[in-house]
Amino acid sequence: MSKQVLLSDDEVVAAAVRMGKDWKTSLPTVSAQDPDDLLRAVARGTRSLYMRGMLTGPGNTDLAPEISALLSPAAGTLPEHLGYAATSAEPHVAAGLRFAIFESTNGNKVLIITLANGINEISEVPRGRAREFVAAFAGAPLREGADENAAVLLAPIGADAATFAVVTARGTRTGTLSIASPDFTSGQPTDTLPTTLIPQA
């Protein structure tokens, strides 16, 4: 089974539809709230999956088993952990790389790293690697010359709430918020990240 694949946002949406699922993680180039945009993405993604040989079976209508196996932990479910790059002035606006982490059926994690141009690197990784990735991501704004940058980390609690942290060079704030209408001003200063925001090895 493939342990890594690169898919566009369109291909991710189309693959999820082939699996009978929706895609709950935000995608930078597809609006999940716009049904017409979703339909166009599915059409483009299906054509692209076909051209890349990722559809199999009679009439090339089935998603290739190795792609389905890699995506199945993420399709139709919220991630355990997610985050995105932002600015300290606008932590509610994704401004670059974003990630999502899901539990895999074999004890590993599925790590999805999404670029602003809608390219998704989807990998199955050991639990320790997922932890290292999040720790490094959270530390990025603390590097010299990154004063205006922020790293936003989230761990969903149910369907519409999440623990959050906003990490900047001026400090870290953490709290809980509504996913539908996030308010990052409610957080409290902290010296350490809550353990719920870091995958456990």
Side-chain angles (χ1 to χ4, degrees):
M1 183 187 77
S2 173
K3 297 297 183 180
Q4 184 180 87
V5 66
L6 292 177
L7 296 177
S8 69
D9 285 352
D10 291 345
E11 291 169 336
V12 166
V13 173
V17 168
R18 294 279 164 177
M19 298 167 65
K21 306 285 187 178
D22 58 355
W23 193 259
K24 296 184 180 295
T25 305
S26 66
L27 297 169
T29 66
V30 177
S31 173
Q33 290 73 40
D34 184 340
D36 291 336
D37 194 35
L38 279 174
L39 286 173
R40 289 190 292 268
V42 170
R44 293 190 302 265
T46 300
R47 181 171 60 249
S48 181
L49 290 171
Y50 171 75
M51 295 297 294
R52 295 179 65 189
M54 294 181 176
L55 295 180
T56 61
N60 295 304
T61 58
D62 299 326
L63 191 62
E66 64 272 19
I67 305 301
S68 179
L70 193 54
L71 281 178
S72 61
T77 187
L78 288 171
E80 292 182 327
H81 301 89
L82 66 154
Y84 56 87
T87 64
S88 56
E90 295 184 301
H92 59 288
V93 179
L97 182 146
R98 61 188 77 185
F99 74 87
I101 296 174
F102 302 82
E103 183 73 28
S104 181
T105 55
N106 60 6
N108 289 331
K109 300 288 187 180
V110 171
L111 170 63
I112 302 177
I113 301 172
T114 303
L115 304 181
N117 62 1
I119 299 300
N120 301 270
E121 179 186 279
I122 303 167
S123 308
E124 183 181 311
V125 299
R127 303 173 76 89
R129 169 63 183 135
R131 181 182 177 86
E132 291 170 1
F133 175 86
V134 174
F137 183 86
L142 307 180
R143 298 176 188 137
E144 185 177 358
D147 292 353
E148 300 305 315
N149 296 345
V152 179
L153 305 178
L154 298 148
I157 309 168
D160 185 50
T163 301
F164 78 88
V166 179
V167 183
T168 71
R170 292 185 289 276
T172 299
R173 296 178 65 84
T174 185
T176 58
L177 53 67
S178 165
I179 296 174
S181 54
D183 175 13
F184 292 99
T185 62
S186 62
Q188 299 297 318
T190 182
D191 293 328
T192 58
L193 289 173
T195 57
T196 54
L197 292 173
I198 305 293
Q200 299 305 299

